């Protein structure tokens, strides 16, 4: 007997119902998700943010229909970064209804459209997580040829519910595989993911109007440039805590990216920085209290909840499960909460000895107030030790005081300009070396990497333009802009509640040769292998970074001949690292990383992923044992036997030291 179309629909529906009758269900009903409404305070914040940015931002832009569409697109991308929650029909409907009116809404302080779009996102996200939970009823088949698209931020939105379900089925499988790779078993995996997905649903019920306003206004501000942002009053406090973890925690800047907390920067001198086991862009996927406290999965948590979990009293321990940015297995790091130690963020002098020759190294973690005086003292101490040259290590230095970078540069030149600054009205100010004394006139190498930014780039650029130093390492970050933070409250707002803060770009840095440090950063004269992926880090990675440009060069003359030695040193450097076992291994690892970075899809076959994971562990064990053999140390039987406090030698610094010695020998030749 043939089934009618209606009978087919009933049969299919019953089949789905019967198959999912005992499936895992959300702990919270959809009706519990109630999106708050904006109030007059939020409207006033919106008007003042709009006025400040349209009138005072360095980048002059016109807030019109064209710009409104860009804000709409960025807001959608923030609400659904993986393009797997909204349907394409949702996007089409919202674009037709709201996109062209957002500019007028911002001027008027109207937030109805922003809140309506957020409400639809919450409804769709609930539906997706409900489906994800239903998939945990039984262990899925992980033996097939399924794949998951790694980066979906540019991918099309699903056109049907079935397409969306397929994307979330891939996500769930990937979550399961990631837990299998941590040696978890299915019962524990199911328990973890049920808890994780229910926690994500719970987050939908906890959203505040401030959160929605901040997301929306940041879609506007970040469309202007990557360093302009709005902080609601509630978020400002959380921001301060998350940046410093009260300076009595681990000392890290945290950010939230697609439900995962990541390390944005480390506070110099903090427990996290001192451990040398956490790096920028690492992800925190679990947190445990004390020496043996259970590691709790924190994927999907609110950022402020993660911060609360990590915070604690000085002297207590916290354990973090870290997923390294460079790939590989997760690792558990134990940190003792402590206040930031000022002495650990201060400049330090060491003297490296190679072939009975001394090379001085001054490590500068940040451009703090008082840096120049500290370095002046270190140089006086160094001058008594018969050194062949000086290395100034700015790797990982994210910047700091403009005054200090100008004065520090002045220690190595007699006089002249150091940096040019242009404001929003195209007025250029040239900052000069404030004194004529030179504290050191020998050979200088400046080490930089992709995390050297802002003030670090000003110093490296000036030393390069004056031909006073050789810059070695990797192209720097490329942040050539200056921001200021302002409260949205006016002095006459006597009874007005706090409206939040706006941080926006007001100036741009230029080298004394006229070129900007913006976007392009500073290129090294002698390049090291790119251990930090430049394609995914730095200003050029941002889709709306302000452009590189130039102004007229300042009035200066080269004071040295440092770059005369570059070609000879580069040849020796390349010949040496081509044979150096550590650099050979490093280039192998970089090649593997690049191959994986270029992947568009990731296998959802468990055995394939386990095989790759085991191969990574085997290679690391082989490389470590080869190093230990060269060092005369006992080899490891298993990668898990590696001591938790093990710190790899700094082969980049060792190579820089050798280059300084090569340089001194060139100078001694007639």
């Amino acid at each position: 007997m043939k089934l009618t179309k209606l009978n087919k629909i009933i049969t299919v529906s019953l089949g789905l119902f019967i198959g999912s009758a005992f499936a895992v269900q959300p702990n919270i009903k959809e009706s519990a998700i109630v999106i708050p409404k904006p109030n007059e305070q939020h409207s006033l914040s919106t008007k003042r943010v709009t006025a400040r940015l349209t009138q005072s931002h360095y980048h002059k832009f016109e807030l019109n229909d064209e710009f409104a569409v860009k804000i709409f697109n960025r807001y959608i991308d923030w609400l659904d970064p993986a393009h797997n929650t909204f349907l394409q029909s949702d996007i089409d409907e919202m674009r037709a209804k709201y996109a062209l009116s957002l500019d007028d809404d911002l001027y008027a302080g109207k937030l109805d459209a922003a809140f309506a779009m957020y409400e639809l996102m919450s409804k769709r996200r609930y539906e997706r997580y409900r489906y994800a939970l239903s998939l945990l009823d039984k262990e899925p088949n992980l033996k097939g040829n399924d794949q998951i698209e790694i980066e979906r931020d540019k991918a099309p939105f699903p056109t049907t519910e079935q397409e969306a379900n397929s994307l979330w089925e891939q996500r769930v499988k990937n979550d399961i595989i990631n837990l299998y790779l941590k040696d978890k078993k299915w019962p524990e995996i199911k328990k973890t993911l049920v808890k994780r997905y229910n926690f994500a649903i719970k987050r939908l019920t906890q959203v505040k109007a401030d959160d929605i306003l901040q997301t929306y206004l940041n879609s506007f501000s970040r469309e202007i440039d990557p360093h302009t942002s709005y902080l609601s009053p509630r978020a400002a406090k959380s921001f301060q805590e998350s940046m410093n973890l009260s300076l009595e925690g681990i000392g890290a800047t945290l950010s939230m990216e697609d439900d995962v907390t990541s390390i944005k920067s480390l506070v110099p001198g903090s427990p996290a920085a001192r451990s040398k086991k956490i790096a920028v862009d690492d992800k925190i996927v679990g947190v445990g209290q004390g020496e043996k406290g259970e590691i709790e999965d924190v994927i999907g948590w609110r950022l402020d909840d993660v911060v609360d979990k990590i915070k604690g009293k000085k002297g207590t321990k916290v354990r973090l499960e870290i997923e390294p940015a460079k790939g590989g297995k997760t690792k558990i790091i134990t940190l003792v909460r402590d206040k930031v130690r000022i002495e650990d963020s201060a400049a330090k002098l060491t003297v490296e000895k190679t072939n009975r020759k001394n090379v001085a190294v001054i490590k500068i973690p940040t451009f703090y107030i008082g840096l120049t005086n500290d370095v002046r003292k270190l140089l006086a101490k160094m001058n008594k030790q018969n050194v062949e040259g000086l290395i100034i290590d700015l790797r990982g230095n994210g910047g700091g005081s403009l005054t200090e970078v100008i004065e520090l540069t002045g220690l190595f030149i007699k006089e002249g300009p150091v940096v040019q600054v242009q404001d929003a009205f195209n007025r250029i100010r040239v900052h000069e070396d404030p004194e004529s004394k030179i504290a050191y006139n020998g050979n200088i190498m400046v080490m930089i990497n992709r995390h050297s930014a802002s003030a670090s780039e000003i110093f490296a650029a000036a030393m390069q333009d004056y031909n006073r130093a050789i810059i070695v390492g990797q192209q720097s970050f490329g942040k050539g802009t200056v921001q200021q933070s302002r409260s949205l409250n006016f002095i006459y707002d006597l009874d007005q509640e706090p409206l939040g803060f706006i941080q926006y770009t007001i100036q741009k840095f230029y080298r004394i040769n006229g070129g900007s440090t913006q976007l392009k950063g500073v290129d090294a004269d002698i390049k090291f292998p790119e251990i930090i992926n430049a394609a995914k880090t730095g200003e050029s990675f941002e889709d709306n970074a302000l452009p590189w440009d130039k102004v007229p060069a300042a009035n200066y003359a080269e004071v040295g001949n440092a770059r005369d030695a570059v070609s000879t040193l580069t040849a020796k450097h390349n010949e040496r690292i081509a044979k150096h076992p550590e650099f050979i291994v490093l280039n192998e690892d970089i090649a593997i990383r690049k191959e994986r970075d270029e992947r568009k899809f990731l296998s959802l076959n468990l055995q394939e992923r386990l095989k790759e994971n085991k191969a990574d562990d085997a290679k690391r064990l082989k490389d470590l044992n080869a190093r230990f053999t060269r060092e005369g140390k006992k080899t490891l039987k298993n990668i898990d036997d590696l001591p938790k406090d093990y710190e790899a030698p700094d082969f980049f610094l060792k190579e820089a030291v050798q280059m300084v010695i090569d340089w001194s020998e060139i100078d001694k030749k007639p």
Side-chain angles (χ1 to χ4, degrees), residues 114-133:
F115 277 65
M117 292 162 71
Y118 198 99
E119 184 171 21
L120 181 58
M121 179 277 294
S122 298
K123 181 178 185 298
R124 292 287 182 258
R125 192 161 288 274
Y126 181 89
E127 294 168 356
R128 305 295 173 251
Y129 276 117
R130 180 173 59 194
Y131 179 72
L133 283 166

Side-chain angles (χ1 to χ4, degrees), residues 180-241:
Y180 267 123
L181 295 179
K182 298 177 186 178
D183 299 323
K184 308 291 186 185
K185 304 299 181 186
W186 170 246
E188 187 179 1
I189 290 172
K190 179 177 179 179
K191 180 180 177 182
T192 297
L193 292 183
V194 167
K195 185 177 180 180
R196 182 187 297 177
Y197 298 160
N198 272 307
F199 201 97
I201 291 174
K202 184 180 179 182
R203 281 179 59 197
L204 297 175
T205 69
Q206 297 172 329
V207 67
K208 308 291 184 184
D210 275 7
D211 299 327
I212 301 173
L213 178 71
Q214 182 171 275
T215 302
Y216 176 57
L217 289 183
N218 276 327
S219 300
F220 168 31
S221 59
R222 293 290 179 87
E223 187 56 45
I224 308 170
D225 87 315
H227 305 291
T228 295
S229 59
Y230 164 74
L231 281 178
S232 68
R234 176 172 174 266
K237 182 180 178 182
S238 297
F239 175 82
Q240 192 61 41
E241 292 178 345

Side-chain angles (χ1 to χ4, degrees), residues 5-25:
K5 185 175 181 181
L6 179 61
N7 283 338
K8 285 182 181 179
I9 293 172
I10 292 172
T11 304
V12 171
S13 298
L14 286 172
L16 287 172
F17 177 78
I18 293 169
S20 61
F22 300 101
V24 178
Q25 296 292 320

Side-chain angles (χ1 to χ4, degrees), residues 106-158:
L106 285 166
Y107 280 120
K110 287 181 61 177
L111 295 163
D112 296 348
F115 277 65
M117 292 162 71
Y118 198 99
E119 184 171 21
L120 181 58
M121 179 277 294
S122 298
K123 181 178 185 298
R124 292 287 182 258
R125 192 161 288 274
Y126 181 89
E127 294 168 356
R128 305 295 173 251
Y129 276 117
R130 180 173 59 194
Y131 179 72
L133 283 166
S134 74
L135 297 174
L136 299 176
D137 190 37
K138 61 180 181 179
E139 188 173 7
N141 176 15
L142 302 174
K143 298 179 180 179
N145 297 319
D146 293 5
Q147 293 181 314
I148 183 171
E149 193 170 2
I150 296 172
E151 294 181 356
R152 281 193 48 83
D153 55 321
K154 299 290 189 295
F157 290 90

Side-chain angles (χ1 to χ4, degrees), residues 89 165 180 188 349 357 428 439 450 495 522 535 542 610:
S89 56
N165 286 345
Y180 267 123
E188 187 179 1
L349 169 69
K357 295 183 178 180
I428 298 173
R450 196 62 171 163
D495 299 320
V522 177
E542 301 289 347
L610 284 170

Side-chain angles (χ1 to χ4, degrees), residues 7 52 62 85 99 105 117 152 181 193 203 262 298 307 318 332 335 354 361 431 497 514 528 539 546 597 618 658:
N7 283 338
R52 176 77 69 171
E62 188 176 351
T85 299
D105 288 353
M117 292 162 71
R152 281 193 48 83
L181 295 179
L193 292 183
R203 281 179 59 197
S262 62
V298 295
V307 170
V318 62
I332 307 295
L335 299 174
T354 300
V361 179
H431 293 267
E497 293 290 321
F528 280 165
E539 192 81 357
L546 295 185
D597 285 343
Q658 186 58 56

